[in-house]
Amino acid sequence: MSNLTVQPKSMFYFRKMLSSLCILFCLTATNAALAADPVPVTMLKETTVNMLAFLKSHRGSLKSQPQLLEGEVRRVVVPKFDLTSMAQSVVGRRHWTSSSPAERQAFIHEFTDLVVSVYAAPLADYSGDSVEFHPLRGGVAGQARIVVRTTIIRSNGQRIQVNYSLKSAGSSWRVYDFSIEGISMVASYRSQFADVLENKGMSGLLAQMRVHNRNS
């Protein structure tokens, strides 16, 4: 797809990918439709409905008051993600286990801020795009991990594949990764962070993330 330009040498380029799309939480759905879906799909759809209501009611101030949008993403979206698992996967087992507990908590905090900004930025440009959820392959009974496949349908007719990887967390489900046109968010950030971790360790990565998050 022509509007996704990946810059492998650029830190945090996954945000650039998302910023060219208004990809998430823009679905119009009815409560009746939600009731018939498996739990993880219902969870994602309910989240889209709640976020869409916010976008519509604050459309005139999304760009002028970005803190409102980021606050709503933290309230509505963040609880649906397993950010601890995502953070560990992004850093990798070796660097995670060799880091101090304080560094791990600091990384989870900075990574959460990064995810929030990644989601909030493109939503400020919401323009009526919609999301089509595809039937689950094999259902969810007895499954610990599933993939929910969706297609973003842009107002210009462009269709973009976005898949969510979820894992069971007791009676609920949490997102631990998602991909755009086959490009995984976790794998993308793991690749971007690898050189910094090897050369400067967790402390060096945290320093770069703090600068990025404060300036984003």
Side-chain angles (χ1 to χ4, degrees), residues 3 127 129 153-160:
N3 67 334
S127 60
D129 298 348
I153 304 171
R154 307 216 61 196
S155 55
N156 63 5
Q158 182 184 19
R159 299 174 69 88
I160 302 163

Side-chain angles (χ1 to χ4, degrees), residues 36-55:
D37 288 313
V39 171
V41 177
T42 297
M43 180 269 287
L44 288 174
K45 286 188 175 182
E46 286 177 341
T47 304
T48 67
V49 170
N50 292 336
M51 201 66 211
L52 178 60
F54 175 85
L55 293 175

Side-chain angles (χ1 to χ4, degrees):
M1 42 193 268
S2 60
N3 67 334
L4 289 188
T5 302
V6 176
Q7 304 291 338
K9 298 298 183 181
S10 175
M11 199 120 176
F12 313 108
Y13 71 75
F14 202 82
R15 176 173 181 171
K16 296 180 181 179
M17 295 168 58
L18 291 183
S19 294
S20 65
L21 310 171
C22 188
I23 68 156
L24 194 61
F25 307 136
C26 304
L27 173 77
T28 301
T30 65
N31 290 333
L34 295 176
D37 288 313
V39 171
V41 177
T42 297
M43 180 269 287
L44 288 174
K45 286 188 175 182
E46 286 177 341
T47 304
T48 67
V49 170
N50 292 336
M51 201 66 211
L52 178 60
F54 175 85
L55 293 175
K56 286 184 174 180
S57 63
H58 295 80
R59 194 163 186 172
S61 58
L62 292 176
K63 291 185 178 180
S64 62
Q65 301 182 58
Q67 70 278 7
L68 290 178
L69 183 51
E70 291 196 1
E72 191 68 3
V73 169
R74 289 184 187 278
R75 187 184 74 82
V76 175
V77 180
V78 167
K80 307 303 187 296
F81 280 68
D82 185 347
L83 286 162
T84 298
S85 175
M86 294 171 74
Q88 292 180 30
S89 296
V90 164
V91 171
R93 180 183 298 273
R94 178 166 64 89
H95 291 289
W96 188 261
T97 56
S98 63
S99 300
S100 70
E103 286 177 325
R104 295 173 199 166
Q105 287 303 310
F107 182 81
I108 292 171
H109 174 80
E110 296 298 333
F111 186 70
T112 299
D113 284 354
L114 177 61
V115 171
V116 168
S117 66
V118 159
Y119 274 89
L123 291 178
D125 294 318
Y126 171 67
S127 60
D129 298 348
S130 63
V131 182
E132 177 181 282
F133 283 77
H134 302 289
L136 285 177
R137 295 173 177 172
V140 300
Q143 301 294 318
R145 295 174 183 255
I146 63 167
V147 175
V148 175
R149 298 178 300 116
T150 75
T151 300
I152 308 302
I153 304 171
R154 307 216 61 196
S155 55
N156 63 5
Q158 182 184 19
R159 299 174 69 88
I160 302 163
Q161 190 71 34
V162 181
N163 295 339
Y164 300 91
S165 299
L166 299 96
K167 64 180 180 180
S168 176
S171 60
S172 62
W173 292 78
R174 293 291 179 268
V175 175
Y176 67 89
D177 194 11
F178 70 90
S179 63
I180 302 173
E181 295 290 306
I183 300 176
S184 156
M185 187 193 79
V186 167
S188 295
Y189 282 124
R190 183 189 300 126
S191 175
Q192 292 175 73
F193 295 164
D195 285 346
V196 180
L197 284 168
E198 288 298 325
N199 295 321
K200 299 182 179 180
M202 180 66 89
S203 61
L205 177 58
L206 283 169
Q208 289 199 23
M209 294 182 74
R210 289 184 182 111
V211 170
H212 172 84
N213 287 336
R214 303 309 173 262
N215 294 330
S216 62

